[in-house]
Amino acid sequence: MNKYVLNPQESNIYKMIPLGLENAKRVKDIAVPLNLEERDIHNAIHSMCRKNIPICSSRKEPFGVYIPLTEDERRIGLVSLSNQANSMTQRIELVGSIDLKTWRNTIATTVQTNLDDEVKHD
């Protein structure tokens, strides 16, 4: 069996990812103590999954990332990933179908007025 080596940043992040859905931890709560950006955490999680670590996430309470302990926990994490993938696929299709020459003609913008300007002070 291959042994994967985590780099120092991945190792620090790995140590902060809890076991079990009930202990899920928000990415922000991992990033702040490590003085990293949330994007760094997401990139490391992606890399660690390629290194055979089953990291899942939950977009419902409890929110955050975790390593599943049961098939049910894995399924819950995979539903979140699947929903995100479906959403991204829909966006890809939408952006790909927009006419680059005419899209500006289909937009009307609005301006929010400052409520203070409308209030009369006596």
Side-chain angles (χ1 to χ4, degrees), residues 7-35:
N7 66 40
Q9 185 180 73
E10 291 170 339
S11 295
N12 289 334
I13 294 167
Y14 170 74
K15 291 174 189 173
M16 294 190 70
I17 298 174
L19 297 175
L21 172 61
E22 68 182 23
N23 301 311
K25 187 181 279 189
R26 293 175 190 259
V27 169
K28 173 175 65 174
D29 295 330
I30 295 172
V32 170
L34 295 175
N35 198 28

PDB file of all heavy atoms in Angstrom, residues 7-35:
ATOM      1  N   ASN A   7       2.706  17.470   3.297  1.00  0.00           N
ATOM      2  CA  ASN A   7       3.684  18.535   3.516  1.00  0.00           C
ATOM      3  C   ASN A   7       3.379  19.194   4.863  1.00  0.00           C
ATOM      4  O   ASN A   7       2.345  18.918   5.481  1.00  0.00           O
ATOM      5  CB  ASN A   7       3.703  19.523   2.336  1.00  0.00           C
ATOM      6  CG  ASN A   7       2.424  20.311   2.193  1.00  0.00           C
ATOM      7  OD1 ASN A   7       1.814  20.751   3.170  1.00  0.00           O
ATOM      8  ND2 ASN A   7       1.990  20.511   0.950  1.00  0.00           N
ATOM      9  N   PRO A   8       4.266  20.055   5.370  1.00  0.00           N
ATOM     10  CA  PRO A   8       4.046  20.650   6.697  1.00  0.00           C
ATOM     11  C   PRO A   8       2.702  21.384   6.836  1.00  0.00           C
ATOM     12  O   PRO A   8       2.024  21.237   7.854  1.00  0.00           O
ATOM     13  CB  PRO A   8       5.223  21.610   6.864  1.00  0.00           C
ATOM     14  CG  PRO A   8       6.316  20.995   6.041  1.00  0.00           C
ATOM     15  CD  PRO A   8       5.595  20.401   4.844  1.00  0.00           C
ATOM     16  N   GLN A   9       2.304  22.144   5.810  1.00  0.00           N
ATOM     17  CA  GLN A   9       1.029  22.851   5.886  1.00  0.00           C
ATOM     18  C   GLN A   9      -0.130  21.869   5.939  1.00  0.00           C
ATOM     19  O   GLN A   9      -1.047  22.012   6.760  1.00  0.00           O
ATOM     20  CB  GLN A   9       0.881  23.811   4.705  1.00  0.00           C
ATOM     21  CG  GLN A   9      -0.379  24.654   4.792  1.00  0.00           C
ATOM     22  CD  GLN A   9      -0.506  25.594   3.613  1.00  0.00           C
ATOM     23  OE1 GLN A   9      -0.800  25.152   2.498  1.00  0.00           O
ATOM     24  NE2 GLN A   9      -0.283  26.882   3.854  1.00  0.00           N
ATOM     25  N   GLU A  10      -0.106  20.862   5.082  1.00  0.00           N
ATOM     26  CA  GLU A  10      -1.156  19.841   5.096  1.00  0.00           C
ATOM     27  C   GLU A  10      -1.195  19.120   6.443  1.00  0.00           C
ATOM     28  O   GLU A  10      -2.276  18.841   6.967  1.00  0.00           O
ATOM     29  CB  GLU A  10      -0.928  18.823   3.973  1.00  0.00           C
ATOM     30  CG  GLU A  10      -1.146  19.364   2.585  1.00  0.00           C
ATOM     31  CD  GLU A  10      -0.687  18.414   1.502  1.00  0.00           C
ATOM     32  OE1 GLU A  10       0.151  17.514   1.770  1.00  0.00           O
ATOM     33  OE2 GLU A  10      -1.159  18.564   0.363  1.00  0.00           O
ATOM     34  N   SER A  11      -0.032  18.828   7.008  1.00  0.00           N
ATOM     35  CA  SER A  11       0.037  18.139   8.296  1.00  0.00           C
ATOM     36  C   SER A  11      -0.638  18.957   9.387  1.00  0.00           C
ATOM     37  O   SER A  11      -1.401  18.419  10.204  1.00  0.00           O
ATOM     38  CB  SER A  11       1.492  17.856   8.680  1.00  0.00           C
ATOM     39  OG  SER A  11       2.064  16.955   7.763  1.00  0.00           O
ATOM     40  N   ASN A  12      -0.369  20.261   9.414  1.00  0.00           N
ATOM     41  CA  ASN A  12      -0.994  21.133  10.415  1.00  0.00           C
ATOM     42  C   ASN A  12      -2.506  21.190  10.237  1.00  0.00           C
ATOM     43  O   ASN A  12      -3.254  21.165  11.214  1.00  0.00           O
ATOM     44  CB  ASN A  12      -0.411  22.545  10.340  1.00  0.00           C
ATOM     45  CG  ASN A  12       1.006  22.602  10.853  1.00  0.00           C
ATOM     46  OD1 ASN A  12       1.419  21.785  11.675  1.00  0.00           O
ATOM     47  ND2 ASN A  12       1.768  23.560  10.368  1.00  0.00           N
ATOM     48  N   ILE A  13      -2.950  21.263   9.003  1.00  0.00           N
ATOM     49  CA  ILE A  13      -4.390  21.313   8.720  1.00  0.00           C
ATOM     50  C   ILE A  13      -5.032  19.974   9.073  1.00  0.00           C
ATOM     51  O   ILE A  13      -6.083  19.930   9.718  1.00  0.00           O
ATOM     52  CB  ILE A  13      -4.641  21.698   7.248  1.00  0.00           C
ATOM     53  CG1 ILE A  13      -4.168  23.141   7.007  1.00  0.00           C
ATOM     54  CG2 ILE A  13      -6.103  21.521   6.870  1.00  0.00           C
ATOM     55  CD1 ILE A  13      -4.065  23.528   5.547  1.00  0.00           C
ATOM     56  N   TYR A  14      -4.392  18.882   8.681  1.00  0.00           N
ATOM     57  CA  TYR A  14      -4.903  17.538   8.967  1.00  0.00           C
ATOM     58  C   TYR A  14      -5.159  17.352  10.462  1.00  0.00           C
ATOM     59  O   TYR A  14      -6.185  16.801  10.865  1.00  0.00           O
ATOM     60  CB  TYR A  14      -3.921  16.492   8.439  1.00  0.00           C
ATOM     61  CG  TYR A  14      -4.214  15.087   8.881  1.00  0.00           C
ATOM     62  CD1 TYR A  14      -5.281  14.382   8.337  1.00  0.00           C
ATOM     63  CD2 TYR A  14      -3.430  14.464   9.848  1.00  0.00           C
ATOM     64  CE1 TYR A  14      -5.558  13.089   8.740  1.00  0.00           C
ATOM     65  CE2 TYR A  14      -3.699  13.174  10.255  1.00  0.00           C
ATOM     66  CZ  TYR A  14      -4.766  12.489   9.706  1.00  0.00           C
ATOM     67  OH  TYR A  14      -5.035  11.217  10.104  1.00  0.00           O
ATOM     68  N   LYS A  15      -4.230  17.819  11.282  1.00  0.00           N
ATOM     69  CA  LYS A  15      -4.357  17.676  12.732  1.00  0.00           C
ATOM     70  C   LYS A  15      -5.557  18.433  13.283  1.00  0.00           C
ATOM     71  O   LYS A  15      -6.037  18.129  14.371  1.00  0.00           O
ATOM     72  CB  LYS A  15      -3.084  18.165  13.424  1.00  0.00           C
ATOM     73  CG  LYS A  15      -1.894  17.277  13.184  1.00  0.00           C
ATOM     74  CD  LYS A  15      -0.643  17.891  13.784  1.00  0.00           C
ATOM     75  CE  LYS A  15       0.598  17.119  13.365  1.00  0.00           C
ATOM     76  NZ  LYS A  15       1.830  17.797  13.797  1.00  0.00           N
ATOM     77  N   MET A  16      -6.065  19.414  12.538  1.00  0.00           N
ATOM     78  CA  MET A  16      -7.188  20.227  13.007  1.00  0.00           C
ATOM     79  C   MET A  16      -8.542  19.765  12.462  1.00  0.00           C
ATOM     80  O   MET A  16      -9.570  20.285  12.861  1.00  0.00           O
ATOM     81  CB  MET A  16      -6.945  21.692  12.663  1.00  0.00           C
ATOM     82  CG  MET A  16      -5.755  22.260  13.439  1.00  0.00           C
ATOM     83  SD  MET A  16      -5.623  24.022  13.281  1.00  0.00           S
ATOM     84  CE  MET A  16      -7.045  24.548  14.243  1.00  0.00           C
ATOM     85  N   ILE A  17      -8.531  18.810  11.535  1.00  0.00           N
ATOM     86  CA  ILE A  17      -9.791  18.312  10.975  1.00  0.00           C
ATOM     87  C   ILE A  17     -10.314  17.206  11.884  1.00  0.00           C
ATOM     88  O   ILE A  17      -9.652  16.190  12.067  1.00  0.00           O
ATOM     89  CB  ILE A  17      -9.609  17.816   9.528  1.00  0.00           C
ATOM     90  CG1 ILE A  17      -9.169  18.981   8.637  1.00  0.00           C
ATOM     91  CG2 ILE A  17     -10.901  17.188   9.013  1.00  0.00           C
ATOM     92  CD1 ILE A  17      -8.820  18.575   7.231  1.00  0.00           C
ATOM     93  N   PRO A  18     -11.484  17.411  12.466  1.00  0.00           N
ATOM     94  CA  PRO A  18     -11.991  16.441  13.442  1.00  0.00           C
ATOM     95  C   PRO A  18     -12.523  15.169  12.805  1.00  0.00           C
ATOM     96  O   PRO A  18     -12.897  15.148  11.638  1.00  0.00           O
ATOM     97  CB  PRO A  18     -13.120  17.207  14.143  1.00  0.00           C
ATOM     98  CG  PRO A  18     -13.580  18.192  13.128  1.00  0.00           C
ATOM     99  CD  PRO A  18     -12.375  18.560  12.313  1.00  0.00           C
ATOM    100  N   LEU A  19     -12.558  14.131  13.616  1.00  0.00           N
ATOM    101  CA  LEU A  19     -13.179  12.867  13.233  1.00  0.00           C
ATOM    102  C   LEU A  19     -14.658  12.937  13.589  1.00  0.00           C
ATOM    103  O   LEU A  19     -15.019  13.336  14.703  1.00  0.00           O
ATOM    104  CB  LEU A  19     -12.528  11.702  13.972  1.00  0.00           C
ATOM    105  CG  LEU A  19     -11.045  11.446  13.682  1.00  0.00           C
ATOM    106  CD1 LEU A  19     -10.524  10.330  14.586  1.00  0.00           C
ATOM    107  CD2 LEU A  19     -10.826  11.104  12.228  1.00  0.00           C
ATOM    108  N   GLY A  20     -15.508  12.580  12.637  1.00  0.00           N
ATOM    109  CA  GLY A  20     -16.935  12.507  12.894  1.00  0.00           C
ATOM    110  C   GLY A  20     -17.682  13.782  12.572  1.00  0.00           C
ATOM    111  O   GLY A  20     -17.215  14.889  12.853  1.00  0.00           O
ATOM    112  N   LEU A  21     -18.854  13.609  11.971  1.00  0.00           N
ATOM    113  CA  LEU A  21     -19.713  14.721  11.567  1.00  0.00           C
ATOM    114  C   LEU A  21     -20.091  15.612  12.741  1.00  0.00           C
ATOM    115  O   LEU A  21     -20.115  16.833  12.629  1.00  0.00           O
ATOM    116  CB  LEU A  21     -20.971  14.183  10.874  1.00  0.00           C
ATOM    117  CG  LEU A  21     -22.071  15.183  10.541  1.00  0.00           C
ATOM    118  CD1 LEU A  21     -21.563  16.260   9.593  1.00  0.00           C
ATOM    119  CD2 LEU A  21     -23.265  14.468   9.931  1.00  0.00           C
ATOM    120  N   GLU A  22     -20.379  15.014  13.889  1.00  0.00           N
ATOM    121  CA  GLU A  22     -20.825  15.820  15.033  1.00  0.00           C
ATOM    122  C   GLU A  22     -19.754  16.788  15.517  1.00  0.00           C
ATOM    123  O   GLU A  22     -20.051  17.738  16.235  1.00  0.00           O
ATOM    124  CB  GLU A  22     -21.293  14.927  16.176  1.00  0.00           C
ATOM    125  CG  GLU A  22     -20.179  14.122  16.827  1.00  0.00           C
ATOM    126  CD  GLU A  22     -20.700  13.200  17.926  1.00  0.00           C
ATOM    127  OE1 GLU A  22     -21.883  12.854  17.908  1.00  0.00           O
ATOM    128  OE2 GLU A  22     -19.895  12.828  18.787  1.00  0.00           O
ATOM    129  N   ASN A  23     -18.510  16.569  15.103  1.00  0.00           N
ATOM    130  CA  ASN A  23     -17.398  17.442  15.498  1.00  0.00           C
ATOM    131  C   ASN A  23     -16.940  18.356  14.368  1.00  0.00           C
ATOM    132  O   ASN A  23     -15.876  18.971  14.469  1.00  0.00           O
ATOM    133  CB  ASN A  23     -16.215  16.593  15.976  1.00  0.00           C
ATOM    134  CG  ASN A  23     -16.587  15.727  17.153  1.00  0.00           C
ATOM    135  OD1 ASN A  23     -17.160  16.195  18.123  1.00  0.00           O
ATOM    136  ND2 ASN A  23     -16.309  14.439  17.047  1.00  0.00           N
ATOM    137  N   ALA A  24     -17.702  18.426  13.279  1.00  0.00           N
ATOM    138  CA  ALA A  24     -17.309  19.214  12.104  1.00  0.00           C
ATOM    139  C   ALA A  24     -16.830  20.603  12.533  1.00  0.00           C
ATOM    140  O   ALA A  24     -17.368  21.207  13.463  1.00  0.00           O
ATOM    141  CB  ALA A  24     -18.472  19.331  11.129  1.00  0.00           C
ATOM    142  N   LYS A  25     -15.809  21.074  11.836  1.00  0.00           N
ATOM    143  CA  LYS A  25     -15.197  22.365  12.168  1.00  0.00           C
ATOM    144  C   LYS A  25     -15.209  23.251  10.934  1.00  0.00           C
ATOM    145  O   LYS A  25     -14.862  22.811   9.841  1.00  0.00           O
ATOM    146  CB  LYS A  25     -13.762  22.137  12.643  1.00  0.00           C
ATOM    147  CG  LYS A  25     -13.080  23.382  13.167  1.00  0.00           C
ATOM    148  CD  LYS A  25     -11.652  23.098  13.601  1.00  0.00           C
ATOM    149  CE  LYS A  25     -11.643  22.499  14.985  1.00  0.00           C
ATOM    150  NZ  LYS A  25     -10.268  22.411  15.522  1.00  0.00           N
ATOM    151  N   ARG A  26     -15.601  24.501  11.118  1.00  0.00           N
ATOM    152  CA  ARG A  26     -15.633  25.455  10.012  1.00  0.00           C
ATOM    153  C   ARG A  26     -14.218  25.712   9.502  1.00  0.00           C
ATOM    154  O   ARG A  26     -13.261  25.765  10.292  1.00  0.00           O
ATOM    155  CB  ARG A  26     -16.269  26.763  10.441  1.00  0.00           C
ATOM    156  CG  ARG A  26     -17.743  26.647  10.762  1.00  0.00           C
ATOM    157  CD  ARG A  26     -18.267  27.974  11.304  1.00  0.00           C
ATOM    158  NE  ARG A  26     -19.600  27.831  11.841  1.00  0.00           N
ATOM    159  CZ  ARG A  26     -20.706  28.199  11.204  1.00  0.00           C
ATOM    160  NH1 ARG A  26     -20.638  28.739  10.010  1.00  0.00           N
ATOM    161  NH2 ARG A  26     -21.875  28.029  11.758  1.00  0.00           N
ATOM    162  N   VAL A  27     -14.104  25.901   8.201  1.00  0.00           N
ATOM    163  CA  VAL A  27     -12.803  26.167   7.576  1.00  0.00           C
ATOM    164  C   VAL A  27     -12.155  27.402   8.205  1.00  0.00           C
ATOM    165  O   VAL A  27     -10.950  27.421   8.467  1.00  0.00           O
ATOM    166  CB  VAL A  27     -12.951  26.301   6.040  1.00  0.00           C
ATOM    167  CG1 VAL A  27     -11.695  26.841   5.399  1.00  0.00           C
ATOM    168  CG2 VAL A  27     -13.325  24.949   5.433  1.00  0.00           C
ATOM    169  N   LYS A  28     -12.965  28.405   8.481  1.00  0.00           N
ATOM    170  CA  LYS A  28     -12.446  29.628   9.101  1.00  0.00           C
ATOM    171  C   LYS A  28     -11.784  29.318  10.442  1.00  0.00           C
ATOM    172  O   LYS A  28     -10.752  29.896  10.789  1.00  0.00           O
ATOM    173  CB  LYS A  28     -13.591  30.626   9.280  1.00  0.00           C
ATOM    174  CG  LYS A  28     -13.229  31.876  10.055  1.00  0.00           C
ATOM    175  CD  LYS A  28     -14.363  32.878  10.106  1.00  0.00           C
ATOM    176  CE  LYS A  28     -15.538  32.324  10.877  1.00  0.00           C
ATOM    177  NZ  LYS A  28     -16.623  33.278  11.086  1.00  0.00           N
ATOM    178  N   ASP A  29     -12.365  28.374  11.189  1.00  0.00           N
ATOM    179  CA  ASP A  29     -11.828  28.026  12.502  1.00  0.00           C
ATOM    180  C   ASP A  29     -10.555  27.193  12.417  1.00  0.00           C
ATOM    181  O   ASP A  29      -9.860  27.015  13.422  1.00  0.00           O
ATOM    182  CB  ASP A  29     -12.887  27.289  13.322  1.00  0.00           C
ATOM    183  CG  ASP A  29     -14.083  28.182  13.635  1.00  0.00           C
ATOM    184  OD1 ASP A  29     -13.898  29.413  13.740  1.00  0.00           O
ATOM    185  OD2 ASP A  29     -15.203  27.645  13.758  1.00  0.00           O
ATOM    186  N   ILE A  30     -10.263  26.692  11.253  1.00  0.00           N
ATOM    187  CA  ILE A  30      -8.985  26.023  11.010  1.00  0.00           C
ATOM    188  C   ILE A  30      -7.971  27.042  10.506  1.00  0.00           C
ATOM    189  O   ILE A  30      -6.807  27.041  10.924  1.00  0.00           O
ATOM    190  CB  ILE A  30      -9.157  24.874   9.990  1.00  0.00           C
ATOM    191  CG1 ILE A  30     -10.066  23.788  10.587  1.00  0.00           C
ATOM    192  CG2 ILE A  30      -7.807  24.293   9.579  1.00  0.00           C
ATOM    193  CD1 ILE A  30     -10.471  22.707   9.609  1.00  0.00           C
ATOM    194  N   ALA A  31      -8.412  27.932   9.630  1.00  0.00           N
ATOM    195  CA  ALA A  31      -7.506  28.895   9.003  1.00  0.00           C
ATOM    196  C   ALA A  31      -6.933  29.903   9.995  1.00  0.00           C
ATOM    197  O   ALA A  31      -5.721  30.180   9.974  1.00  0.00           O
ATOM    198  CB  ALA A  31      -8.229  29.629   7.873  1.00  0.00           C
ATOM    199  N   VAL A  32      -7.774  30.458  10.851  1.00  0.00           N
ATOM    200  CA  VAL A  32      -7.335  31.553  11.731  1.00  0.00           C
ATOM    201  C   VAL A  32      -6.169  31.153  12.632  1.00  0.00           C
ATOM    202  O   VAL A  32      -5.139  31.831  12.647  1.00  0.00           O
ATOM    203  CB  VAL A  32      -8.532  32.126  12.528  1.00  0.00           C
ATOM    204  CG1 VAL A  32      -8.063  33.081  13.618  1.00  0.00           C
ATOM    205  CG2 VAL A  32      -9.503  32.835  11.588  1.00  0.00           C
ATOM    206  N   PRO A  33      -6.252  30.057  13.405  1.00  0.00           N
ATOM    207  CA  PRO A  33      -5.126  29.730  14.284  1.00  0.00           C
ATOM    208  C   PRO A  33      -3.844  29.373  13.527  1.00  0.00           C
ATOM    209  O   PRO A  33      -2.747  29.512  14.067  1.00  0.00           O
ATOM    210  CB  PRO A  33      -5.613  28.544  15.114  1.00  0.00           C
ATOM    211  CG  PRO A  33      -6.932  28.154  14.598  1.00  0.00           C
ATOM    212  CD  PRO A  33      -7.390  29.160  13.605  1.00  0.00           C
ATOM    213  N   LEU A  34      -3.996  28.932  12.282  1.00  0.00           N
ATOM    214  CA  LEU A  34      -2.817  28.586  11.477  1.00  0.00           C
ATOM    215  C   LEU A  34      -2.301  29.774  10.670  1.00  0.00           C
ATOM    216  O   LEU A  34      -1.330  29.647   9.926  1.00  0.00           O
ATOM    217  CB  LEU A  34      -3.148  27.418  10.535  1.00  0.00           C
ATOM    218  CG  LEU A  34      -3.462  26.087  11.219  1.00  0.00           C
ATOM    219  CD1 LEU A  34      -3.881  25.051  10.186  1.00  0.00           C
ATOM    220  CD2 LEU A  34      -2.268  25.600  12.031  1.00  0.00           C
ATOM    221  N   ASN A  35      -3.003  30.914  10.801  1.00  0.00           N
ATOM    222  CA  ASN A  35      -2.639  32.131  10.064  1.00  0.00           C
ATOM    223  C   ASN A  35      -2.617  31.874   8.556  1.00  0.00           C
ATOM    224  O   ASN A  35      -1.689  32.279   7.855  1.00  0.00           O
ATOM    225  CB  ASN A  35      -1.288  32.675  10.550  1.00  0.00           C
ATOM    226  CG  ASN A  35      -1.093  34.123  10.156  1.00  0.00           C
ATOM    227  OD1 ASN A  35      -2.060  34.869  10.006  1.00  0.00           O
ATOM    228  ND2 ASN A  35       0.143  34.520   9.976  1.00  0.00           N
TER     229      ASN A  35
END
